[in-house]
Amino acid sequence: MPNDHDSHLDALLTKMKSAASPLRDTLRELHSKYQSAGEGKVADYIPELANADPDWFGISVVSVDRRKIKVGESDQPFTIQSVSKPFVFGMALEDHGREEVLEKIGVQPIGEAFNSITLDETSNRPFNPMINAGAIAATDLIAGKDFPDRVRRMLAMFRRYCGREVFVDNSVFSSERATGHRNRAIAHLMLNFGMLSDRLEDTLELYFQQCSIMITAKDLAVMGATLANGGVNPLTGERALDAEYVKDLLSVMQTCGMYDYAGEWAYRVGIPAKSGVGGGIVAVVPGQVGIGTFSPPLDMKGNSVRGIKACQDLAEQFGLHVFNADGCRDSLLSQFNPNGSN
Ligand code: GLN
């Protein structure tokens, strides 16, 4: 007998398989349900973000078995911003190994804003790689023989996740660089505590570049599907992340991915995700699908209002929460002696 969780999963995959694609209908319903949601405010700390159309709204789902559905503005390019953070953390892990990275960056959620100027007082580490401090420390760990080589390696990594070449938007990059005083302050604080190498200026440049990469909701779904698929891009078959580190990324996304809404997200939606102030959210249903949403108006914590609503509805409808009552039971239970004596 399939348990509830399995039948939810089957329902999701069957919806994607059928020619009429009921999942597409579900996404369309969600899209029209929340299109009119007028809440939230488009990020305005740089003109390029302030100019975004508040009506833009795309939802895209890509499965580990290569099925793709997109509705709304899923092909509208926007800047990845903080959604880049888990992926760069993955690269730091590949370049240096888990122990070395954990000496420089914690994996502890904090209930503070993403740009808070705080380090762990005992270890001097940034709390986690999903806030700016930890993300800048992760960017610092991107290896390369010189600065252009580090940029090239970082872009190649995003290319593997997206399955296409990616580009930095120069105008966003220049604005991020010109206004990024707070990020500079954070970097200097970390340098003071020996948490950053002395290539601080290069690292900040690289960080501003990674935030300014243009992606779409569809790309985010492919990136999420790559993590759902154990690190291999299901559309290209190319490995984007060493299988060993997939769970590292998903864990920090699960606990710290949605800024200071992370705990509530883990409670209500219950799947690993990461958001960015460009309006993007990537969410991962391990073993099944990646979900990408895009809508620029943000709530007070910096998360896309429509994106949160759409993901929450999808998680409820299909029982996606990782701790959904029956979902976490069967793997260990099936290891007991089937005759019931132990
Ligand atoms: N470029 C932004 C910053 O570093 C990214 C922030 C975000 O998406 N939360 O402040």
Side-chain angles (χ1 to χ4, degrees):
M1 264 298 276
N3 62 30
D4 276 3
H5 191 256
D6 284 345
S7 46
H8 277 310
L9 304 192
D10 286 347
L12 180 65
L13 290 176
T14 316
K15 278 200 163 199
M16 290 186 88
K17 246 181 232 161
S18 79
S21 186
L23 184 60
R24 178 171 288 111
D25 296 342
T26 305
L27 296 187
R28 282 199 184 121
E29 280 160 29
L30 285 180
H31 189 268
S32 60
K33 180 173 171 192
Y34 293 124
Q35 178 69 71
S36 57
E39 303 140 61
K41 196 168 166 295
V42 174
D44 58 2
Y45 68 93
I46 52 173
E48 293 79 5
L49 290 180
N51 287 337
D53 182 341
D55 288 335
W56 279 334
F57 183 24
I59 315 172
S60 183
V61 177
V62 171
S63 73
V64 295
D65 56 358
R66 310 157 65 102
R67 279 168 291 165
K68 301 170 267 188
I69 297 182
K70 53 180 185 177
V71 299
E73 273 87 29
S74 284
D75 292 317
Q76 171 63 45
F78 60 98
T79 46
I80 190 168
Q81 298 291 352
S82 286
V83 183
S84 61
K85 290 172 179 171
F87 303 98
V88 169
F89 178 56
M91 194 166 188
L93 287 164
E94 286 183 329
D95 283 354
H96 297 271
R98 195 172 285 129
E99 292 319 311
E100 206 180 315
V101 171
L102 290 181
E103 277 170 25
K104 296 279 167 68
I105 312 168
V107 285
Q108 184 63 29
I110 48 164
E112 284 181 43
F114 63 87
N115 57 3
S116 83
I117 308 183
T118 345
L119 300 178
D120 182 328
E121 272 180 20
T122 39
S123 65
N124 293 325
R125 292 177 310 178
F127 280 91
N128 68 69
M130 303 292 101
I131 52 169
N132 288 11
I136 293 168
T139 304
D140 190 49
L141 293 173
I142 292 182
K145 65 178 183 336
D146 51 23
F147 178 66
D149 193 39
R150 293 171 75 204
V151 176
R152 188 193 55 71
R153 289 190 68 243
M154 190 258 298
L155 292 176
M157 179 267 290
F158 282 106
R159 177 188 57 69
R160 289 193 294 275
Y161 277 104
C162 293
R164 64 166 186 86
E165 291 297 333
V166 296
F167 301 96
V168 169
D169 183 294
N170 263 321
S171 155
V172 177
F173 167 61
S174 308
S175 289
E176 291 282 348
R177 180 168 54 177
T179 60
H181 307 301
R182 202 176 167 102
N183 287 323
R184 285 178 198 286
I186 293 170
H188 280 279
L189 185 65
M190 291 194 292
L191 181 63
N192 174 64
F193 285 116
M195 290 291 134
L196 218 60
S197 73
D198 55 9
R199 43 185 192 183
L200 176 141
E201 286 304 329
D202 279 358
T203 288
L204 281 167
E205 292 280 296
L206 196 53
Y207 174 75
F208 295 136
Q209 293 212 11
Q210 85 185 46
C211 289
S212 309
I213 290 172
M214 299 301 280
I215 39 99
T216 65
K218 190 192 140 228
D219 291 328
L220 290 181
V222 180
M223 295 166 84
T226 300
L227 291 178
N229 194 36
V232 173
N233 183 323
L235 302 186
T236 62
E238 195 174 6
R239 179 164 289 285
L241 175 67
D242 195 328
E244 181 188 353
Y245 297 121
V246 171
K247 70 176 183 347
D248 298 58
L249 271 64
L250 294 179
S251 306
V252 290
M253 288 166 74
Q254 180 77 8
T255 53
C256 319
M258 301 297 284
Y259 307 128
D260 39 337
Y261 184 71
E264 198 155 339
W265 171 277
Y267 180 83
R268 290 180 186 278
V269 185
I271 53 176
K274 183 72 200 87
S275 65
V277 293
I281 297 181
V282 61
V284 181
V285 187
Q288 297 180 65
V289 299
I291 302 169
T293 67
F294 165 56
S295 176
L298 310 175
D299 63 16
M300 297 290 286
K301 299 183 192 292
N303 295 313
S304 166
V305 174
R306 292 191 188 100
I308 285 200
K309 289 182 194 285
C311 290
Q312 192 165 323
D313 269 31
L314 269 179
E316 268 165 28
Q317 277 195 45
F318 296 107
L320 302 180
H321 198 297
V322 284
F323 301 133
N324 200 28
D326 294 305
C328 38
R329 281 200 206 140
D330 56 352
S331 58
L332 275 180
L333 291 183
S334 66
Q335 303 298 306
F336 284 86
N337 185 331
N339 69 18
S341 62
N342 59 22

